Amino acid sequence: VAYRGEVLQLDRATNRFNDAVTHSHVAKVAVLKTMSRLDGQASDRVADLGLQIRQAVAVASRWVLGLSVLIALLSFFAIMAIVRRSINRPLNKVLQHIDAVRHGAVTLDVGAPGDDEWGIIHSALFDMTAELEKSRGLLQMVIDTAPMRVFWKDQDLRYLGCNPVFAKDAGKTHPRDLIGKDDYQMAWAEQADLYRADDGAVMASGMAKLFYEEPQTRPDGQTIWLRTSKVPLKNGNNQTIGVLGIYEDITERKQADAELETYRQHLEELVEQRTSELLATEARATRILD
């Protein structure tokens, strides 16, 4: 029951994480629409200014033409300064923030948001990253504190992450030491083909493979037994993008079961032996009485 509760809690945390990523995509679309609208306004302003300049040149004398050209240059530089101040700088802040979210550094300080449209966009990004950080923190806490080993891989079967106990089984000091590596680079390279075949089957079928036993070689060379479950990882479009796996070490349980089986067989042998002795004794007693 506790294990099922932890799996359900992990699933809910994963759903919240996916919702946060979806909100991030929505915010990105809104940013791009606003950028397109502002760019269109700037282009319209520049086009209007050019039309006015051409009309002035057509009806003015040479000295007016020179003055108009001078005014045009000054206006151009003024527009460039306005564009740089009102579009480029805020846009760079937003892009820095988006890039920070993409790389996981959601606490990057890119300045306080203003009170214009860019400020609204920037504030929305701050709110979105705060929710994302909260969901990510909750999910990471659940993964790190779960007694089960947890790992996930991409479509190329390279590790994207794991929890600390899984990293310890792999002989690593931190989960980030596994990122980008595959099973052939782990202590259990001997079972790599077996693991990867299971991963590929789960991703190809889109169906989970639950509660099956398999061996694993530890960094010290010892072979242990695992009880493993794997499910496909899917994105918002229900496309499989990887595989999520959990397992527990059942070596002691299997050893205990083996010992119990040995005791059972020994007990059956003793019972059979004692039964034979009793039958033999009964036969001798019958012959004496006869």
Side-chain angles (χ1 to χ4, degrees):
V1 171
Y3 164 71
R4 179 176 177 83
E6 291 173 356
V7 171
L8 291 175
Q9 186 179 5
L10 174 60
D11 185 64
R12 289 191 295 268
T14 302
N15 289 335
R16 288 194 293 272
F17 177 77
N18 289 334
D19 291 341
V21 172
T22 301
H23 293 328
S24 173
H25 291 166
V26 172
K28 180 179 179 181
V29 171
V31 168
L32 293 177
K33 288 183 178 178
T34 303
M35 289 168 51
S36 177
R37 180 171 58 83
L38 292 175
D39 184 63
Q41 291 177 354
S43 298
D44 292 339
R45 292 173 183 173
V46 172
D48 291 341
L49 180 59
L51 179 60
Q52 293 174 4
I53 292 174
R54 287 193 298 272
Q55 291 175 348
V57 170
V59 298
S61 62
R62 292 183 178 180
W63 68 271
V64 174
L65 176 60
L67 182 60
S68 298
V69 171
L70 178 60
I71 294 175
L73 291 174
L74 293 177
S75 299
F76 174 77
F77 288 118
I79 291 174
M80 290 297 296
I82 293 173
V83 170
R84 182 177 179 82
R85 178 179 297 274
S86 62
I87 297 179
N88 287 354
R89 291 179 182 176
L91 176 60
N92 287 334
K93 288 185 178 182
V94 171
L95 292 178
Q96 289 175 15
H97 203 147
I98 293 174
D99 188 64
V101 173
R102 182 182 296 116
H103 292 87
V106 295
T107 57
L108 179 67
D109 183 11
V110 292
D115 54 359
D116 55 2
E117 292 179 341
W118 287 108
I120 296 174
I121 295 173
H122 209 175
S123 296
L125 282 175
F126 273 119
D127 294 340
M128 179 270 294
T129 52
E131 289 297 326
L132 179 62
E133 177 67 11
K134 182 178 179 181
S135 299
R136 179 181 296 173
L138 177 60
L139 177 62
Q140 192 64 47
M141 182 185 66
V142 171
I143 293 174
D144 290 347
T145 56
M148 306 289 293
R149 279 71 167 174
V150 183
F151 64 91
W152 52 99
K153 303 177 182 178
D154 60 17
Q155 289 182 308
D156 296 324
L157 303 183
R158 295 186 179 276
Y159 286 98
L160 295 174
C162 65
N163 63 349
V165 288
F166 182 88
K168 183 178 179 181
D169 284 353
K172 307 297 182 181
T173 57
H174 195 276
R176 62 173 172 266
D177 297 332
L178 280 81
I179 296 177
K181 294 182 172 60
D182 58 29
D183 291 301
Y184 294 113
Q185 299 171 276
M186 300 297 153
W188 50 77
E190 182 179 346
Q191 293 90 25
D193 290 334
L194 174 65
Y195 297 164
R196 291 168 66 87
D198 289 336
D199 297 338
V202 169
M203 289 193 297
S205 65
M207 302 294 292
K209 185 177 181 181
L210 305 176
F211 310 123
Y212 63 95
E213 296 181 3
E214 59 183 356
Q216 182 186 89
T217 302
R218 300 183 61 178
D220 58 5
Q222 179 185 359
T223 299
I224 62 175
W225 283 91
L226 314 177
R227 191 180 188 207
T228 304
S229 295
K230 294 180 180 178
V231 297
L233 280 177
K234 298 185 177 182
N235 59 16
N237 297 324
N238 202 36
Q239 297 173 331
T240 300
I241 59 174
V243 61
L244 169 70
I246 60 174
Y247 69 81
E248 60 177 329
D249 185 349
I250 60 170
T251 305
E252 294 182 358
R253 186 188 308 170
K254 288 187 70 68
Q255 291 174 347
D257 291 342
E259 292 178 0
L260 287 175
E261 179 63 20
T262 301
Y263 293 150
R264 186 187 65 79
Q265 293 177 358
H266 180 62
L267 181 59
E268 289 179 352
E269 292 174 356
L270 291 176
V271 170
E272 183 178 355
Q273 180 182 355
R274 183 58 178 166
T275 301
S276 298
E277 293 175 353
L278 290 174
L279 291 175
T281 301
E282 182 180 0
R284 287 195 299 270
T286 301
R287 288 195 299 270
I288 293 173
L289 292 176
D290 291 342

